[in-house]
C-alpha cells in the first residue's frame, strides 16, 4: 500500500518562501509521477507541479512558473516543492499525489489520474 506524507506547510508573509516535502513509501520501483495539487474551500483541486522520478522535465501550473520549483531526492522516494515569492492566492491546502505511470502534459494536473494522495498540509500567506 502506497503512503504519502507531506510536511513543511505553515504561515508566511507575502513575498516569502516555504518548502514542502513529500515522502512516499510502498512503491516497489523508483519510477512514478509525483507532485503537488492545491485546493481552497469552494474551489476544485488544481495541479501545481509534478515530476517523474525516472527523469525528464517537471510540469508547472502557469500561475506558479518561475516562483515554484519541484525536485526529488537522490533517494527517489521524496519530492520537494520550493515556493518563493508567495502571494495571497497561493494560500491553500497542498496535497501530495502520485501514480505509477509517467507524467505527461495531458494528464499531470488531472485529479482523477492519481491514485495515491497525502492528507494535505496548510499554507497560509498573509499580506
Amino acid at each position: 500500500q502506497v503512503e504519502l506524507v507531506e510536511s513543511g506547510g505553515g504561515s508566511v508573509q507575502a513575498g516569502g518562501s516555504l518548502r514542502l516535502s513529500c515522502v512516499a513509501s510502498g512503491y516497489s520501483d523508483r519510477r512514478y509521477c509525483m507532485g503537488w495539487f492545491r485546493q481552497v474551500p469552494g474551489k476544485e483541486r488544481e495541479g501545481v507541479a509534478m515530476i517523474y522520478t525516472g527523469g525528464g522535465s517537471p510540469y508547472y501550473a502557469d500561475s506558479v512558473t518561475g516562483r515554484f520549483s519541484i525536485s526529488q531526492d537522490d533517494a527517489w522516494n521524496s519530492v520537494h516543492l520550493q515556493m518563493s515569492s508567495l502571494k495571497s492566492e497561493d494560500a491553500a491546502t497542498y496535497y501530495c499525489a502520485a501514480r505509477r505511470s509517467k507524467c505527461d502534459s495531458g494528464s499531470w494536473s488531472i485529479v482523477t489520474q492519481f491514485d495515491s494522495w497525502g492528507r494535505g498540509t496548510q499554507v497560509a500567506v498573509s499580506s
Side-chain angles (χ1 to χ4, degrees), residues 110-125:
I110 300 176
V111 170
T112 55
Q113 295 295 310
F114 290 82
D115 53 12
S116 297
W117 292 88
R119 292 186 176 185
T121 185
Q122 294 277 350
V123 171
V125 182

Side-chain angles (χ1 to χ4, degrees), residues 29-116:
D29 60 57
R30 298 186 175 192
R31 293 169 291 181
Y32 44 89
C33 182
M34 184 170 171
W36 300 90
F37 285 76
R38 68 186 181 187
Q39 189 171 24
V40 297
K43 293 190 176 181
E44 293 186 353
R45 194 168 294 189
E46 65 172 353
V48 176
M50 206 63 62
I51 192 168
Y52 179 56
T53 60
S57 298
Y59 296 91
Y60 295 99
D62 290 343
S63 59
V64 307
T65 297
R67 300 188 298 118
F68 291 12
S69 178
I70 190 170
S71 61
Q72 65 180 90
D73 275 354
D74 290 340
W76 65 265
N77 67 332
S78 300
V79 296
H80 309 284
L81 185 68
Q82 180 66 46
M83 306 185 294
S84 302
S85 301
L86 282 160
K87 305 175 181 180
S88 57
E89 52 261 45
D90 295 317
T93 300
Y94 283 71
Y95 296 91
C96 183
R99 69 184 193 208
R100 287 181 172 81
S101 58
K102 289 184 178 181
C103 300
D104 64 81
S105 59
S107 69
W108 76 268
S109 61
I110 300 176
V111 170
T112 55
Q113 295 295 310
F114 290 82
D115 53 12
S116 297

